[in-house]
Amino acid sequence: MRVLAITNQKGGVGKTTTSVNLSACLAAQGQRVLMIDLDPQGNATTGSGIFKREALPSVYQMLIGNATLDQVRIKTEFGYDVLPANRELAGAEVELIEIDQRETRLKSELAKVAGDYDYVLIDCPPALNLLTVNGLVASNAVIIPMQCEYYALEGLTDLVTTLRKVRANLNPALEIEGLLRTMYNPQSTLTQQVSGELESHFGEKVYTTLIPRNVRLAEAPSYGKPVIAFDRASRGAQAYMSLAEEMLARHARGTGQGPAGLQ
């Protein structure tokens, strides 16, 4: 079971879009997938066709010890399971402070289902809080979605510093799985410059797959569907299917693993 946190401290870069669509595409490739919604907004939950108000118990009850992972997980019609979230999860921030081993609550629960899944994808909130820390501590590696713009590089520096601290203090095995260029506009000179800088600094850690700006990708969540269930022929669906194939090929070769990027 490979556990991947999808994280970036910057909002609006495609974390939830990637969590939902990569889960669906890995499932379509025959993988057993669990997606965990760790964001109190619960967008990955609704994007998977689950009504937040009906998602009880949720990941919140699991983190504070009132439910087990098995009681929380929901099977979707898209081939993957979900640990759903809703606004209650915002309260976990405060309650976790009082709980023993608060940084490892998620890791402990995942250990109980290690034989059930090939991949676990964690949609982290756009902040370094106890929820994100739980996601990072539970993970083997992180996927970092980012737009190719100037501020993104600045934010990436801060994020790598944060990941180093988590690696040093809480999860020495944490690594960068890959950097994913999202909302990609090939006609922009700045996009190409930033993309080039990423490739020169992070090398093979940068996925060759590019996620384009795509209307169907933006529309799919309002129908409660991953884009491959909404419009399989769209450029967005094809891009995420390519990403799933690239990930699986990397793991089959044993590349894309190791601590590169966090030195």
Side-chain angles (χ1 to χ4, degrees):
M1 184 172 81
R2 189 148 177 84
V3 184
L4 303 170
I6 297 175
T7 186
N8 192 324
Q9 285 157 266
K10 193 172 186 301
V13 295
K15 288 187 298 296
T16 298
T17 299
T18 298
S19 300
V20 170
N21 290 297
L22 185 53
S23 293
C25 289
L26 285 170
Q29 294 281 336
Q31 302 298 303
R32 299 169 302 161
V33 181
L34 172 67
M35 187 193 70
I36 302 174
D37 191 349
L38 271 192
D39 191 334
Q41 291 181 81
N43 290 337
T45 299
T46 53
S48 299
I50 299 166
F51 291 108
K52 286 185 282 193
R53 278 173 290 187
E54 294 172 11
L56 290 170
S58 70
V59 73
Y60 163 74
Q61 278 83 18
M62 186 190 78
L63 288 174
I64 63 169
N66 288 349
T68 64
L69 187 151
D70 198 44
Q71 291 170 322
V72 172
R73 63 180 160 186
I74 296 173
K75 287 192 180 299
T76 71
E77 62 185 284
F78 312 113
Y80 60 94
D81 293 354
V82 173
L83 297 189
N86 53 36
R87 285 185 191 147
E88 276 190 323
L89 188 54
E93 260 305 278
V94 179
E95 293 182 52
L96 281 170
I97 292 170
E98 306 292 325
I99 295 175
D100 288 340
Q101 299 176 312
R102 56 185 177 269
E103 297 96 349
T104 59
R105 305 291 292 183
L106 182 58
K107 183 178 182 178
S108 300
E109 283 298 319
L110 283 176
K112 298 172 187 174
V113 295
D116 292 4
Y117 299 103
D118 301 305
Y119 285 94
V120 176
L121 303 183
I122 305 173
D123 184 28
C124 295
L128 183 66
N129 53 27
L130 264 176
L131 295 172
T132 301
V133 168
N134 259 271
L136 295 176
V137 170
S139 296
N140 304 116
V142 296
I143 293 174
I144 305 171
M146 57 183 296
Q147 287 180 261
C148 290
E149 56 182 32
Y150 174 72
Y151 290 123
L153 285 177
E154 219 169 56
L156 182 59
T157 304
D158 294 340
L159 177 59
V160 169
T161 301
T162 296
L163 294 174
R164 282 185 187 137
K165 289 177 182 173
V166 172
R167 184 181 166 96
N169 298 302
L170 293 165
N171 182 1
L174 189 67
E175 61 195 37
I176 291 178
E177 174 79 11
L179 281 84
L180 177 66
R181 292 163 289 182
T182 59
M183 305 176 206
Y184 193 83
N185 177 10
Q187 295 169 323
S188 161
T189 304
L190 178 61
T191 292
Q192 291 171 12
Q193 288 173 344
V194 172
S195 183
E197 284 190 48
L198 286 176
E199 288 172 343
S200 65
H201 186 74
F202 289 95
E204 67 172 19
K205 290 289 179 184
V206 182
Y207 290 114
T208 57
T209 302
L210 302 168
I211 307 299
R213 287 191 179 276
N214 180 245
V215 172
R216 305 302 268 170
L217 205 49
E219 289 174 341
S222 63
Y223 292 86
K225 293 180 177 182
V227 70
I228 62 163
F230 179 60
D231 184 353
R232 200 179 186 94
S234 67
R235 284 173 45 228
Q238 290 170 1
Y240 274 109
M241 191 59 83
S242 294
L243 176 63
E245 289 167 357
E246 183 179 353
M247 264 183 61
L248 293 172
R250 279 188 182 196
H251 291 163
R253 292 194 306 267
T255 58
Q257 298 183 33
L262 287 180
Q263 265 62 47

